[in-house]
């Protein structure tokens, strides 16, 4: 049996349902990258940054997860046309604790002041 596989990338591969992020922040050829991954039976998750927000997306059996930034979070409403700092963000250290087992991936977000 293949060992569990995790992938770490900087840019998000797929649409995040926000106009400016989908226009300006995605991995080049992200759909192609995703199509390669969706066949991997041992893939436990793709972990990413760059968007300064924590979030989870699950598509075609592939888990994508990001963590918030301690510098500040970007606004991510679907209709946002450009990036802006989200109200009240910053000065909190965020991190994800990721547990990978043979049959599960658990992502827990933590914040420390």
């Amino acid at each position: 049996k293949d060992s569990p596989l995790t992938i770490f990338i900087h840019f998000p591969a797929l649409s995040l349902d926000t106009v400016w992020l989908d226009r300006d922040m995605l991995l080049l050829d992200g759909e192609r990258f995703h199509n390669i991954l969706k066949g991997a039976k041992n893939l436990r998750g793709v972990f990413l940054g760059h968007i300064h927000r924590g979030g989870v997306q699950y598509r075609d059996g592939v888990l994508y997860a990001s963590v918030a930034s301690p510098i500040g979070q970007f606004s991510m409403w679907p209709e946002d046309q450009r990036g802006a700092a989200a109200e009240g963000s910053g000065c909190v250290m965020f991190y994800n604790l990721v547990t990978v087992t043979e049959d599960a991936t658990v992502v827990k977000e933590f914040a420390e002041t």
Side-chain angles (χ1 to χ4, degrees):
K1 186 174 180 178
D2 291 333
S3 297
L5 171 67
T6 55
I7 296 177
F8 294 82
I9 58 176
H10 186 75
F11 293 95
L14 303 174
S15 170
L16 296 168
D17 189 35
T18 300
V19 172
W20 78 273
L21 285 169
D22 293 348
R23 181 189 62 226
D24 301 332
M25 297 287 196
L26 299 184
L27 182 69
L28 295 177
D29 232 351
E31 287 288 336
R32 183 171 177 226
F33 174 79
H34 173 74
N35 286 333
I36 292 167
L37 296 182
K38 68 184 184 182
K41 301 286 186 236
N42 60 334
L43 181 61
R44 296 295 181 249
V46 178
F47 301 92
L48 59 114
H50 199 68
I51 60 173
H52 288 239
R53 278 281 189 178
V56 175
Q57 182 180 31
Y58 186 76
R59 184 170 144 194
D60 300 321
V62 179
L63 171 71
Y64 294 87
S66 62
V67 67
S69 169
I71 296 170
Q73 286 76 60
F74 291 134
S75 173
M76 286 184 63
W77 294 105
E79 67 278 358
D80 286 347
Q81 297 295 316
R82 60 185 177 84
E87 197 65 33
S89 65
C91 298
V92 176
M93 181 58 71
F94 294 93
Y95 60 94
N96 284 347
L97 175 63
V98 180
T99 303
V100 177
T101 68
E102 288 294 319
D103 58 355
T105 301
V106 179
V107 180
K108 299 175 190 172
E109 184 176 75
F110 292 88
E112 306 278 335
T113 54

